[in-house]
């Protein structure tokens, strides 16, 4: 089937849109593998945290958290080039099988009476270091499995799976810990890694090492060509920087919400769980709805409006009143999740296949790297009891890039199938109607 010949003739509900995309066998296999992997990851986090708490207390949990998250940023430096130099199928399968064995080592060492705290940290480091393979690899291969006019539905379904897994995975892990014990939960998660590898092996599409096409430049190794692509293409640069600025607010909320629950509302974990659940539900709703929307020439304008509004509703958190905070969080989730979906389509279609692994790694790493910056900012301001100032700063950081996006793209429509002109990128074209960013802008 030629994907370019596939054109929807009517607007579908999100249920019909997702059912249509799931009828594509290869995509269904990838999505099922991703869901299984994400649920297993959530359960693993709960199990590792439980074992660490038992062996090293709260201080150990802090070290575990760093081991799980920081290496994701470091891992991108060497994982991105691998996604463009080797078969993506091979990388998916090798990563999954390796991490499955690593996770299984924890219960095996526990059974042998040899488990030490550093073993838990080592498992977390391996997880964080290689997590970027499915994070960047999934959007890198989607255009190979899905027609262009279905990419938004595919991106929406991926975002929905991630959002649902973030809620269900840890909760499922907690239930399983009670039922079968933390060590056995890790055995189960190891099995999900092997199942992921099996499902990927069943995909008929090659998922091979990407080769240059007629409209793409010859592949050049390293990060140089990717940096030039991302920094000189107006669409990619604005998305990366504006989403990074927005993620500062997300990182700040990681610190602000527990602070509110403990010091302002005196409700403990129950209030914190309520705030996190409300935000997660909003994100799920936003992902579900946005994935069914039709890709438009106004894609960037839509992203700008969504970012402006999702940042603006954060101002509802300023009064430190729980009803306003809950409303702000659910609206922020509903409005911010579609940004990820719509932005994913832009990134997937504007990056040539030969660079897609490195480009997705670079952009996702930059955006993820803003989260700890927001958390650090939150820690500094909250330690001085400057909560209102924190919310004003991070809300402004979310709003202003959205407004800038509206200004920059009012005369720059987005079109499927149109990638950056690499000759123009090399020459730094100064035509104001060009898609590349003019010199000095």
């Amino acid at each position: 089937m030629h994907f370019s010949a596939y054109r929807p003739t009517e607007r579908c509900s999100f249920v019909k849109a997702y059912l249509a995309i799931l009828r594509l066998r290869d995509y269904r296999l990838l999505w099922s593998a991703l869901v299984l992997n994400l649920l297993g990851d959530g359960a693993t986090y709960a199990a590792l945290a439980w074992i660490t708490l038992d062996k090293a207390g709260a201080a150990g949990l802090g070290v575990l958290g760093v081991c799980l998250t920081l290496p994701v940023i470091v891992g991108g430096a060497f994982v991105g080039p691998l996604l463009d130099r080797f078969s993506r199928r091979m990388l998916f399968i090798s990563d999954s099988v390796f991490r499955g064995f690593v996770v299984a080592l924890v219960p095996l060492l526990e059974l042998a009476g040899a488990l030490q705290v550093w073993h838990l940290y080592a498992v977390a480091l391996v997880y964080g270091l290689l997590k970027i393979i499915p994070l960047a690899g999934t959007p890198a291969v989607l255009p190979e499995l899905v027609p262009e006019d279905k990419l938004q539905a595919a991106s929406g379904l991926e975002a929905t799976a991630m959002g649902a897994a973030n809620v269900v995975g840890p909760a499922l892990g907690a239930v399983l810990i009670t039922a079968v014990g933390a060590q056995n939960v890790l055995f189960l998660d190891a099995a999900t890694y092997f199942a992921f590898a099996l499902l990927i092996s069943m995909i008929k599409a090659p998922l091979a090492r990407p080769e240059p096409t007629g409209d793409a430049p010859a592949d050049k190794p390293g990060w140089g060509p990717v940096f030039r692509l991302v920094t000189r293409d107006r669409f990619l640069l604005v998305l990366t920087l504006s989403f990074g600025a927005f993620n500062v607010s997300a990182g700040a909320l990681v610190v602000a919400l527990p602070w509110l629950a403990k010091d302002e509302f005196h409700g403990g974990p129950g209030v914190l769980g309520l705030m996190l659940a409300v935000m997660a539900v909003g994100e799920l709703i936003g992902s579900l709805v946005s994935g069914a929307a039709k890709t438009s020439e106004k894609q960037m304008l839509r992203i700008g409006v969504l970012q402006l509004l999702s940042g603006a509703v954060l101002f509802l958190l300023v009064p430190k009143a729980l009803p306003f905070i809950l409303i702000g969080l659910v609206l922020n989730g509903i409005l911010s999740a579609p940004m990820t979906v719509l932005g994913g389509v832009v990134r997937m279609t504007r990056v040539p296949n030969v660079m897609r692994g490195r480009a997705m790694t670079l952009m996702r790493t930059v955006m993820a790297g803003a989260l700890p910056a927001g958390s650090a900012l939150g820690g500094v301001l909250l330690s001085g009891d400057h909560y209102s100032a924190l919310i004003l700063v991070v809300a402004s950081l979310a709003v202003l890039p959205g407004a800038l996006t509206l200004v920059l793209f009012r005369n720059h429509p987005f079109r499927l199938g149109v990638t950056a002109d690499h000759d123009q990128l090399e020459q730094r074209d100064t035509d104001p109607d060009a898609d590349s960013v003019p010199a000095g802008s």
Side-chain angles (χ1 to χ4, degrees):
M1 179 180 73
H2 296 288
F3 287 163
S4 59
Y6 188 96
R7 293 289 183 271
T9 58
E10 61 180 12
R11 188 183 182 90
C12 299
S13 69
F14 71 83
V15 174
K16 290 182 179 179
Y18 291 144
L19 288 177
I21 198 72
L22 286 172
R23 290 192 186 101
L24 300 175
R25 179 182 180 275
D26 282 352
Y27 176 79
R28 185 170 66 249
L29 288 169
L30 176 65
W31 186 79
S32 300
L34 182 65
V35 169
L36 195 61
N37 183 265
L38 291 169
L39 288 174
D41 285 349
T44 288
Y45 170 74
L48 284 177
W50 189 264
I51 299 171
T52 302
L53 185 62
D54 181 56
K55 290 185 174 293
L61 281 180
V63 177
L64 183 73
V66 171
C67 292
L68 284 168
T69 56
L70 187 60
V72 175
I73 300 174
V74 178
F78 73 90
V79 168
L82 296 180
L83 287 166
D84 288 335
R85 304 301 296 178
F86 298 98
S87 162
R88 290 163 180 172
R89 181 196 301 272
M90 181 271 291
L91 285 172
F92 276 146
I93 293 174
S94 300
D95 162 64
S96 196
V97 170
F98 176 69
R99 283 200 286 164
F101 278 116
V102 169
V103 168
L105 282 176
V106 174
L108 290 174
L109 288 170
E110 180 69 14
L111 287 174
L115 183 64
Q116 303 293 323
V117 174
W118 72 267
H119 293 136
L120 303 173
Y121 299 154
V123 170
L125 282 170
V126 170
Y127 167 86
L129 194 64
L130 299 178
K131 180 62 178 175
I132 198 67
I133 291 180
L135 276 180
T138 299
V141 301
L142 279 183
E144 190 175 344
L145 307 180
V146 176
E148 275 192 341
D149 47 17
K150 288 292 185 182
L151 279 176
Q152 191 149 304
S155 182
L157 207 52
E158 180 198 1
T160 301
M162 288 185 175
N166 286 338
V167 177
V168 176
L172 178 63
V175 171
L176 290 174
I177 288 170
T178 303
V180 300
Q183 288 77 17
N184 289 325
V185 170
L186 294 176
F187 270 133
L188 291 173
D189 184 41
T192 68
Y193 279 107
F194 301 139
F196 180 95
L198 176 62
L199 290 169
I200 294 298
S201 71
M202 295 168 62
I203 292 176
K204 293 181 179 179
L207 303 184
R209 172 185 173 176
E211 299 292 342
T213 58
D215 58 352
D219 185 23
K220 297 179 182 179
W223 287 103
V226 179
F227 278 113
R228 288 193 292 272
L229 170 67
V230 174
T231 56
R232 298 178 185 180
D233 182 88
R234 181 191 300 268
F235 291 82
L236 300 178
L237 180 62
V238 170
L239 278 179
T240 303
L241 296 182
S242 63
F243 282 21
F246 186 87
N247 278 350
V248 173
S249 67
L253 289 178
V254 170
V255 177
L257 295 186
W259 182 86
L260 284 169
K262 182 178 184 296
D263 292 347
E264 291 296 322
F265 303 134
H266 307 289
V271 174
L272 176 59
L274 175 63
M275 291 189 288
L276 293 175
V278 162
M279 188 162 56
V281 168
E283 291 172 353
L284 281 176
I285 293 172
S287 297
L288 280 169
V289 174
S290 61
K294 187 177 180 181
T295 303
S296 165
E297 287 188 349
K298 298 180 179 180
Q299 193 88 339
M300 292 298 294
L301 296 181
R302 289 178 176 178
I303 292 170
V305 169
L306 287 166
Q307 179 157 358
L308 192 153
L309 293 176
S310 59
V313 299
L314 290 176
F315 288 111
L316 291 171
L317 278 63
V318 172
K320 292 191 285 191
L322 186 58
F324 284 102
I325 288 174
L326 294 177
I327 293 171
L329 291 175
V330 72
L331 290 176
N332 179 261
I334 290 172
L335 293 166
S336 64
M339 290 166 45
T340 301
V341 176
L342 272 62
V345 176
V346 176
R347 291 192 295 268
M348 284 186 283
T349 55
R350 290 194 67 80
V351 178
N353 189 34
V354 292
M355 294 186 183
R356 201 170 286 141
R358 283 166 291 169
M360 293 299 177
T361 299
L362 174 63
M363 290 184 283
R364 287 201 162 185
T365 300
V366 169
M367 290 184 284
L371 293 169
S375 296
L377 178 64
V380 170
L381 291 180
L382 290 177
S383 65
D385 201 24
H386 300 304
Y387 169 80
S388 296
L390 173 65
I391 299 302
L392 291 174
V393 169
V394 298
S396 299
L397 282 173
V399 167
L400 293 177
L404 180 62
T405 300
L406 291 175
V407 172
L408 289 176
F409 291 93
R410 65 187 185 278
N411 296 320
H412 291 270
F414 169 76
R415 297 183 180 90
L416 283 172
V418 179
T419 58
D421 187 329
H422 296 275
D423 292 332
Q424 288 183 344
L425 295 180
E426 291 295 331
Q427 298 168 8
R428 289 273 188 162
D429 190 356
T430 57
D431 181 357
D433 293 325
D435 287 335
S436 56
V437 179
S441 65

